[in-house]
Amino acid sequence: MMATRKILVKAISQPTPFKFFGPPALRNFSSYHARLGRSNERKSTGTRTGQLSSKEKENWRKYDTNDKRLKIQLHQAIKQGYKATKDAWQASRSSSILDIITCTNLINVFGGEWVINQTKEAKDLLVDVLETMNQNHMEPDQVIYGKLIHIYAKVKDIACMELYFEDMKKCGIPPNSIIYSSMIDGYSKTGNIDKMLSTYRQMRNEGMVPNIVIHTSMIKGFQRAGMKEEEEKMKSEFKSMRFHMDVFSYTDIIYEHAKEGNVEGMLSAYKKMRSEGITPTVVTFNNLFRGYIAAKDLAGIDMVVKEMDNFDIQPSAFTFSILIHGFRKLKRLDLMRQIYRKMKVVGVEPSIVIFNDLIKAHCYHDMNTVQKLLQEMEEIGVHPDATTYSILLDALLAKNEIGKMRTLYEQAIKDGIEPEAFSPEVIQAVQHNGQQMKNVKHLAQFFV
């Protein structure tokens, strides 16, 4: 049984005529997101969407009409992504519609957003789901524990990762190779070599064979620690094993090379994957984009775009986010704007992370564009976060517009942003006395 204590969470070259992702008429992003949602649900539940157990059917008959409507809306929102899920969750969390499958999918969405974009809002929503599970006496299963361990390993919160691992074992739920893989990866990335090795030995003692992801994590851990001898011993041990390489294994290898800007290693892994007849996923291509952006290789980016079109794989919101962020870093505002226009044409809604990149790219020389972006944010219900305010405050400080900066700072504090989010220069400037402007309700009006 689940422990009675609460589940707590801590808490470059000339402009290139790129033709990104083919003509809009060929793209049906709503069907793409629907397929992605069904795929994620199959991965998390092990069952096909729409197939209800007898117990679930019995529970469904107990719901009143309003609860049924809320449940349908919540499941539809989960397929649409983070923002829609957030809104649907806030409307339905107090109802009686929650079950273990729904909570698993909510953890997927909110945890994924936290890992990718490091937003406090997503973390708080994840905590909210877990506390709601606790209040409703819902016992997490192996899938939920696995997802939580994976999430906290990714954000390098080792204390919480270990907490869930130990709690899972106390509940009599055995870890599987995927959970061990997340644990080993978390220890590897945080330099906990002793714990990485002990976890690996524990997994081997339980008769489990390591996969290529574990192999990569351990080798990288030894490399970061400068432990050459241990690295070579582990490589020799792994050479005697036969790994089953799938698209996820190759995608992880490509990601490791991409982080280091190792285009040669990344491309080699991709070609080997293709030679084995393995079809890449959108995540594979996202990692390729990362690598070519890190290497400032526009021709490589163009090649990846063409490969995606060849496989008829449609870009996700995260694909657009990677490209917009990358082109901002490369100071290629022309390509960044081109990607943003394409994103709107195909109907993918930009996240706060994308808006922050666009605002940062324009705020020092083009406040008219910043104003339009803030208006767009308001129209689609995307709220400014600490990063948005920090970018705008730094820009106003650079322009020596101290009055506006002080007023915007006060508005940020009212919106719940902590002062620690801002630079020391901004804090120092707002502490001086000076004329203040009246508060404005809309950020876009602030820059008129």
Side-chain angles (χ1 to χ4, degrees), residues 113-127:
E113 175 71 14
W114 181 27
V115 168
I116 292 170
N117 294 321
Q118 298 291 303
T119 54
K120 182 179 183 297
E121 180 188 60
K123 178 183 178 181
D124 291 342
L125 288 167
L126 175 62
V127 173

Side-chain angles (χ1 to χ4, degrees), residues 20-31 305 308-315 346:
F20 285 102
F21 313 120
L26 299 180
R27 304 296 173 190
N28 185 343
F29 273 73
S30 60
S31 65
V305 170
M308 289 187 75
D309 276 338
N310 289 340
F311 285 100
D312 196 29
I313 291 178
Q314 302 169 28
V346 300

Side-chain angles (χ1 to χ4, degrees), residues 157 267 322 357:
D157 188 339
L267 193 56
I322 290 170
D357 268 318

